[in-house]
Amino acid sequence: MILELLDRGSARASGALFAIGVRAALPALLIMVTLEVVLRYGFNSPLQWSRDVNGLLLLITLFSTLPQAWDRGYHIRMEIVHRRLRGRWRSVADALSALAGLVFFGLMSIQAASFARYMFVTGETGEDLNVALWPFMVYAAVCGLVLCARLVANPEAAHEADEADGESDQWI
Amino acid sequence: MSRFPGSPSGNTTRRTLLATLAGAALAAPFVAGRRVSMAEPITLRYTAHIPGSHGLYTRAFLPFAEIVERETAGRLRLEAFTDRLLHGPIDGFKAAVTGITDYTHAYGTYQPGSFKLLHATQLPFLFPTPQVASLVFEELYPRFFKAEYEHMGVYLAHCDCTSPYNIISKTPVRRLEDLRGLKIRVTGGLTADIYRELGAVPVSIAAAEIYPAFQRGILDAVTLALTDMVAYRLQEIGRFYTVGDINVVLLHYCLNRRTFDALPADLRAQFYRLLRVRSQIAVQNYYTGPDYERAFATLVDSGVEVLELDEAELGRWRDRVTPLKERYIARHEAEGLPAGELVERMEALSAAYASLTNEQINTRIRETPVEGIIDL
């Protein structure tokens, strides 16, 4: 029951984050880079804060799409080994993958939340962009937590994605 | 949602995962965390983003590490991790707060939003020499900068100072008008404001990316300390070097509070005094003296033309940036900060110390080290 709720809630959050990443952050990043290149080379008038903004947009894009990357099986795996595994061995391999992700992103989220507090207290801004950076750290922590929830609720995502895509052993 | 809810293999994987997590949760309280060990000899970790070949490491850190080990009779040692091995340049404060490092570079210029008074040291035409800048900063630190710096959760270790920032460019900069519209690489904060005031277009680019950016025309000029220009081989691209000695950049280093406080009291006091000596080592060994002369010779040997601004022209540059100082003071006074008093004290001390030789400065910091940089 709890796992079902976690599954449903985190799947919805994952979809929302994915939408932010691909419909807002990524297009904004493309526009910013284009604008910067045009201003820099065409008008000799580069934006001093563009490096900071582009870095933040890249961060949002990457973190927003992490949970979906897991659900759709787009994360990096040892395909050569994973596709050969069957039954219990495959379950154990999937559980270990999920566990590794859980440990890494769980710790990362905890650290990001702790850094966000530190950045808020110390008033940290970008080097050239006079904007508080702590909300972006909170965002990274939230994305990490949603991914952790997906890892627990849907540890076999890679397997399922393979099956949905019609897995074949006819790889070269 | 998972596409196959309740599938047998999915449940097995989930059960395996939950069982492992439950096991890890039960074991967690028995897993020992890192504790500060103060069994002598004590080793403190020094971390740096600079490469092991950089003068700040070879000409400043290494001699200092030797002094520390010798003066403490081997009770205290410094172990170095360079080349961004443990953290990047902008993460110095966080690395010290989280215990990744005990002693590292933590520059105020990389986190401009966290500081206000600390930026005053970047004001143009303030210090006669880098030695004096370092000395003045440390003397004024307890009164003006300590609250801001310690708010970051660290102690100030010491403060280096670069040689004056000058301009290396592809086209000659002989007059103020030559700067107009020039895309110039600057550090953030006040240095960017200085060049904006002078008519240039400040561009912020990470130090490691300066060379390709300069080569490809993203930059027309770079302002940097001479030794660093040569370290980044900018003389291979720039053809002119304009000497205006406009400003200097102070390089702050921080200490991990927990490890410093955990040192035995006598060692803490001794290390504190040695850190005062360290504040002049980089300035005298790397940013001035033979290394500086060598860098200058390299620049000239590479065919770079050195352009000295005459007094009249320099006067025009000074006049142009004067409002910057006034604006800085007004802005921070309005916030209730003693910016006016700080600038006045910096100017007065700079004038008083301008004629001091290296030997006189060294005697001063050894015999009457500044008190109160860290409360011992």
Side-chain angles (χ1 to χ4, degrees):
Chain A
M1 175 67 180
I2 294 171
L3 277 178
E4 219 163 90
L5 276 176
L6 185 73
D7 188 17
R8 215 169 295 152
S10 61
R12 207 168 295 148
S14 165
L17 290 176
F18 186 70
I20 293 172
V22 300
R23 290 185 196 151
L26 191 58
L29 183 60
L30 289 172
I31 291 167
M32 268 306 302
V33 171
T34 309
L35 185 68
E36 170 64 7
V37 170
V38 170
L39 286 175
R40 189 185 290 269
Y41 291 105
F43 297 92
N44 199 34
S45 172
L47 301 167
Q48 177 142 19
W49 40 264
S50 68
R51 189 176 55 129
D52 282 349
V53 170
N54 289 338
L56 291 171
L57 287 172
L58 187 63
L59 177 134
I60 292 173
T61 306
L62 288 176
F63 275 83
S64 301
T65 49
L66 276 175
Q68 283 282 313
W70 172 258
D71 277 342
R72 296 187 185 190
Y74 291 157
H75 61 286
I76 297 167
R77 286 173 291 159
M78 289 288 288
E79 297 276 336
I80 198 167
V81 176
H82 189 262
R83 288 191 171 202
R84 294 272 175 199
L85 295 174
R86 288 284 175 270
R88 187 162 182 80
W89 285 110
R90 194 159 191 174
S91 288
V92 170
D94 286 339
L96 285 176
S97 297
L99 187 67
L102 204 55
V103 169
F104 181 82
F105 286 102
L107 290 175
M108 197 207 70
S109 295
I110 293 167
Q111 189 62 71
S114 155
F115 275 157
R117 185 184 164 277
Y118 176 78
M119 291 160 85
F120 174 74
V121 170
T122 59
E124 185 172 333
T125 62
E127 209 180 327
D128 302 299
L129 180 71
N130 192 21
V131 165
L133 294 182
W134 65 267
F136 298 96
M137 198 55 99
V138 170
Y139 189 79
V142 168
C143 293
L145 284 177
V146 172
L147 176 58
C148 287
R150 294 308 302 145
L151 290 169
V152 173
N154 188 21
E156 279 209 322
H159 185 178
E160 293 166 1
D162 284 344
E163 285 181 14
D165 293 343
E167 178 186 280
S168 162
D169 278 344
Q170 300 306 307
W171 43 269
I172 298 170
Chain B
M1 278 180 290
S2 75
R3 282 182 242 176
F4 305 96
S7 71
S9 74
N11 285 339
T12 309
T13 309
R14 206 178 281 175
R15 266 202 303 275
T16 311
L17 178 65
L18 290 175
T20 315
L21 281 176
L26 286 172
F30 303 102
V31 178
R34 180 181 175 272
R35 290 182 177 85
V36 178
S37 166
M38 284 300 148
E40 292 186 17
I42 298 162
T43 302
L44 297 184
R45 279 164 304 172
Y46 161 77
T47 56
H49 58 283
I50 51 167
S53 57
H54 195 285
L56 276 180
Y57 177 73
T58 57
R59 305 282 292 135
F61 173 76
L62 289 180
F64 177 60
E66 277 174 28
I67 291 172
V68 169
E69 192 163 347
R70 190 177 62 239
E71 300 264 326
T72 62
R75 292 174 65 202
L76 185 62
R77 288 177 186 158
L78 300 174
E79 185 184 6
F81 298 86
T82 59
D83 300 82
R84 299 174 172 222
L85 209 55
L86 293 182
H87 61 86
I90 60 169
D91 296 323
F93 290 108
K94 291 194 190 87
V97 168
T98 51
I100 290 170
T101 183
D102 299 317
Y103 166 36
T104 190
H105 305 236
Y107 305 159
T109 44
Y110 285 165
Q111 284 191 213
S114 302
F115 302 99
K116 290 185 165 71
L117 292 181
L118 201 75
H119 298 311
T121 54
Q122 280 190 76
L123 284 169
F125 305 110
L126 195 58
F127 301 110
T129 64
Q131 289 91 324
V132 169
S134 215
L135 187 65
V136 169
F137 176 83
E138 292 217 342
E139 289 206 8
L140 296 179
Y141 177 83
R143 162 87 175 88
F144 294 99
F145 307 118
K146 188 174 177 175
E148 276 184 359
Y149 205 81
E150 293 200 349
H151 188 59
M152 303 300 288
V154 297
Y155 291 135
L156 178 82
H158 57 87
C159 182
D160 290 345
C161 181
T162 66
S163 53
Y165 269 38
N166 286 314
I167 301 166
I168 187 162
S169 55
K170 291 177 179 171
T171 53
V173 178
R174 294 191 171 91
R175 301 172 312 137
L176 204 47
E177 289 71 21
D178 296 331
L179 265 181
R180 190 171 303 279
L182 218 61
K183 286 175 288 187
I184 188 165
R185 188 268 174 179
V186 297
T187 49
L190 270 176
T191 308
D193 293 339
I194 292 170
Y195 282 92
R196 201 173 287 119
E197 208 74 29
L198 291 172
V201 180
V203 179
S204 193
I205 277 181
E209 294 164 25
I210 294 175
Y211 188 95
F214 200 19
Q215 198 173 35
R216 289 179 203 150
I218 294 171
L219 301 170
D220 303 316
V222 176
T223 176
L224 210 57
L226 175 62
T227 39
D228 292 332
M229 278 180 192
V230 172
Y232 292 123
R233 304 199 320 273
L234 301 185
Q235 74 280 4
E236 293 174 5
I237 306 166
R239 302 319 313 153
F240 302 93
Y241 176 69
T242 304
V243 184
D245 290 352
I246 298 162
N247 70 326
V248 293
V249 173
L250 284 126
L251 308 174
H252 317 97
Y253 293 67
C254 73
L255 291 172
N256 177 327
R257 273 185 181 181
R258 269 170 301 168
T259 45
F260 184 81
D261 287 342
L263 291 174
D266 62 326
L267 212 50
R268 217 159 47 219
Q270 197 176 11
F271 188 41
Y272 175 90
R273 284 196 300 276
L274 291 172
L275 287 167
R276 305 288 63 77
V277 174
R278 170 65 184 79
S279 70
Q280 287 291 323
I281 293 180
V283 180
Q284 294 181 20
N285 281 6
Y286 179 60
Y287 281 114
T288 64
D291 272 34
Y292 181 87
E293 300 303 332
R294 243 193 314 275
F296 190 77
T298 305
L299 199 77
V300 174
D301 291 346
S302 305
V304 175
E305 188 180 340
V306 178
L307 308 171
E308 298 264 2
L309 299 178
D310 59 40
E311 263 314 307
E313 183 59 31
L314 210 50
R316 293 178 67 215
W317 290 45
R318 283 178 200 274
D319 291 345
R320 186 64 73 88
V321 293
T322 301
L324 196 66
K325 184 173 86 176
E326 288 155 6
R327 278 205 305 273
Y328 172 85
I329 292 172
R331 186 166 71 241
H332 294 303
E333 288 278 336
E335 295 172 19
L337 295 168
E341 185 194 346
L342 167 63
V343 173
E344 209 173 281
R345 293 283 303 277
M346 283 198 294
E347 286 173 339
L349 284 178
S350 293
Y353 296 155
S355 60
L356 291 183
T357 62
N358 283 353
E359 289 68 33
Q360 287 170 319
I361 290 176
N362 293 341
T363 306
R364 189 184 179 90
I365 57 175
R366 276 200 175 272
E367 291 178 1
T368 53
V370 179
E371 301 289 338
I373 289 180
I374 301 173
D375 295 324
L376 296 173

